[in-house]
Every structure is written in structure tokens, then in C-alpha cells.
């Protein structure tokens, strides 16, 4: 994941001990007493990674609670994102003076059913995938790229973005993706200056699809 983001963004990937690491009181309160073990593990690894990424930036330890909509609440002056999928967790953090927003996502690399693909991919994205080299579920890469896009978008706009509101194009040779946001969504959020186009990077390796993107200041 480190290689997918620029040096201004600190990235931490969970090691084995991090899944049972320490939460700060505000984070514990968000998780609640009744969280099942798997949720507790994921949430904990995410917070441990978030703190490690912030420490890399030279920032003091601070809680990253969750808002009511589940989005992470970063300390003032920090932007960041968290992802976890079975046995893999990573967090990215940056000073908000350096970058406007950041997103990252990891997914197991597996094929998606036609029903799921219809929810995620526009017809032109399916056509695009059909022209790419065989052996990779490119729709899964598009899915992950869109989750990354959402994690960049949401802290700025604080509103929903549907999977079909972004059109993603992949460049496997360069390991990059380009996401174009639907004009109606941009118009609706115009006052917040949302990004019309977002470029990011991806890898497919070790059974994982990883995507990440950073939005710089204008
Ligand atoms: C929020 C969402 C993107 C999370 O992705 P996921 O693959 O389910 O799970 P990940 O492990 O990668 O990410 C989970 C983390 O995302 C973060 N997250 C949750 N909601 C978020 C939001 N609104 N904005 C930013 N980050 C969010 C949290 O830190 C969460 O981990 P935590 O609950 O332990 O704190 C996904 O659940 C979702 O709602 N997707 C629909 C919206 C979307 O992706 N649209 C595509 C637009 S092109």
C-alpha cells in the first residue's frame, strides 16, 4: 500500500499483534461493549494503524473515533482513511495542509457475480474490462477503486456517492486508475468544490486488490 501513495501520506499496515492492540477510551466507546470479536479485531487494527501512521508524521497519539455514519473522525489538521479485509488492514494519514483528502481500500481478489457487477459497474466499464488482459477480475479492481473514491469524496462532500456515479478506467501497465464523477453529483455539491476527476494507483498481488488515491489542494 505504501507504494501507492505519495511521501506526504504516511501508511501503516497491520502486523499480527495489531489486531489485539489498544484502543483509546473515545474509540472504545464507539465500538461498544457488544461488538462481535471479528468487528473488534478489524476496528482495533484500523485504529492502531491510524495512530502509527500519524506517529510517522510526527503527530502525538490521538483518538480516531467513528461518526454516526461510521466515517473515521481524524484529529484537527489530519486527513486519512482506513481499510480492512480478512487478515489485512491498513491506514493512511496526512497533514491536511499537505493534501486535501486521501482514500485507500483492500479487497480479496475473487470473481464477482453478474448480479454484484451490475450494481458496481456501468456498461461502459464492463466493455472496458472485456478489453483488458485475462486472469484478473478487473471488476473487482473497479469495485475497490470506487470504495477508495468514496473515502476521498465523503470527507469533503459528506454525502452519498453511488457506485454508478463514478466511471473508472484502469491502466494495468501503469497500475493507475482514473475515476470521473457524474456531472449531476458534482453540480449538487458544487459549493464544496468536489473533485471531478480522481486518479489513483492499484496493485493485484498476494490474493489482494489494493487501491489508493490522494486529492491534492488546487
Ligand atoms: C464505507 C465503505 C466505502 C467502506 O468500505 P468497505 O470495503 O466496506 O470496508 P473497508 O474495510 O475498506 O473500510 C472500512 C472503513 O471505512 C471507513 N469508513 C466508513 N464509512 C466511511 C465514510 N463514509 N467515509 C470515509 N470512510 C469511511 C471506516 O474507517 C471503516 O472502518 P472502521 O469501521 O473500522 O472505522 C463501504 O462500506 C460503503 O459504504 N460503500 C458504498 C459507497 C461507495 O463505495 N460508493 C462508491 C462511490 S464511486
Amino acid at each position: 500500500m505504501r507504494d501507492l501513495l505519495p511521501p506526504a501520506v504516511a501508511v501503516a499496515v497491520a502486523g499480527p499483534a495489531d489486531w489485539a492492540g489498544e484502543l483509546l477510551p473515545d474509540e472504545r466507546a464507539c465500538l461498544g461493549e457488544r461488538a462481535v470479536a471479528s468487528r473488534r479485531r478489524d476496528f482495533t487494527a484500523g485504529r492502531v494503524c491510524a495512530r502509527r501512521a500519524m506517529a510517522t508524521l510526527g503527530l502525538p497519539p490521538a483518538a480516531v473515533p467513528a461518526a454516526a455514519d461510521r466515517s473515521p473522525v481524524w484529529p484537527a489538521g489530519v486527513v486519512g482513511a482506513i481499510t480492512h479485509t480478512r487478515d489485512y488492514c491498513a491506514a493512511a494519514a496526512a497533514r491536511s495542509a499537505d493534501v486535501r483528502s486521501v482514500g485507500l481500500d483492500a479487497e480479496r481478489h475473487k470473481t464477482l457475480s453478474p448480479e454484484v457487477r451490475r450494481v458496481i459497474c456501468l456498461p461502459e466499464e464492463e466493455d472496458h474490462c472485456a478489453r483488458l488482459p485475462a486472469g484478473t477480475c478487473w471488476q473487482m479492481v473497479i469495485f475497490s477503486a470506487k470504495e477508495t473514491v468514496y473515502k476521498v469524496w465523503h470527507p469533503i462532500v459528506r454525502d452519498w456517492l453511488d457506485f454508478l456515479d463514478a466511471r473508472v478506467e484502469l491502466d494495468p501497465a501503469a497500475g493507475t486508475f482514473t475515476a470521473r464523477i457524474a456531472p449531476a453529483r458534482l453540480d449538487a455539491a458544487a459549493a464544496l468544490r468536489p473533485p471531478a476527476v480522481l486518479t489513483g494507483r492499484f496493485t493485484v498481488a498476494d490474493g489482494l486488490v489494493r487501491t489508493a488515491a490522494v486529492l491534492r489542494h488546487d
Side-chain angles (χ1 to χ4, degrees), residues 22-46:
E22 284 294 313
L23 290 176
L24 295 180
D26 283 357
E27 298 167 341
R28 230 175 281 132
C30 295
L31 183 61
E33 292 297 321
R34 293 200 297 274
V36 297
S38 59
R39 173 64 184 140
R40 186 170 296 280
R41 269 171 54 81
D42 288 352
F43 185 87
T44 301

Side-chain angles (χ1 to χ4, degrees), residues 132-133 138 170-176 201-202:
L132 296 177
W138 296 111
L170 304 173
D171 181 342
T176 58
R201 303 192 62 80
F202 72 87

Side-chain angles (χ1 to χ4, degrees), residues 39 47 70 83-84 105 107 147 151 154 160-161:
R39 173 64 184 140
R47 265 51 194 185
R70 272 194 55 205
T83 185
H84 34 65
D105 185 73
E107 303 290 338
E147 300 248 276
K151 290 176 189 175
H154 188 268
W160 182 248
L161 190 65

Side-chain angles (χ1 to χ4, degrees), residues 100 149 153 156-157 159-161 165-166 179-198:
R100 194 169 170 215
V149 167
W153 169 273
I156 296 170
V157 177
D159 199 6
W160 182 248
L161 190 65
D165 285 332
R180 292 181 172 78
I181 309 296
R185 285 299 185 169
L186 295 172
D187 290 348
L192 299 163
R193 298 184 299 109
V197 180
L198 196 61

Side-chain angles (χ1 to χ4, degrees), residues 102-179:
V102 61
L104 85 178
D105 185 73
E107 303 290 338
R108 294 278 141 201
H109 181 214
K110 56 177 197 255
T111 38
L112 294 170
S113 69
E115 292 74 28
V116 173
R117 278 162 47 177
R118 265 195 293 279
V119 173
I120 293 161
C121 291
L122 295 160
E124 52 267 46
E125 290 173 325
E126 282 288 352
D127 292 346
H128 172 56
C129 290
R131 291 192 299 272
L132 296 177
T136 299
C137 180
W138 296 111
Q139 291 87 350
M140 182 58 101
V141 181
I142 289 181
F143 172 67
S144 178
K146 289 187 174 188
E147 300 248 276
T148 278
V149 167
Y150 186 65
K151 290 176 189 175
V152 173
W153 169 273
H154 188 268
I156 296 170
V157 177
R158 296 277 162 210
D159 199 6
W160 182 248
L161 190 65
D162 193 76
F163 285 103
L164 304 186
D165 285 332
R167 181 164 55 82
V168 171
E169 212 175 295
L170 304 173
D171 181 342
T176 58
F177 69 84
T178 305

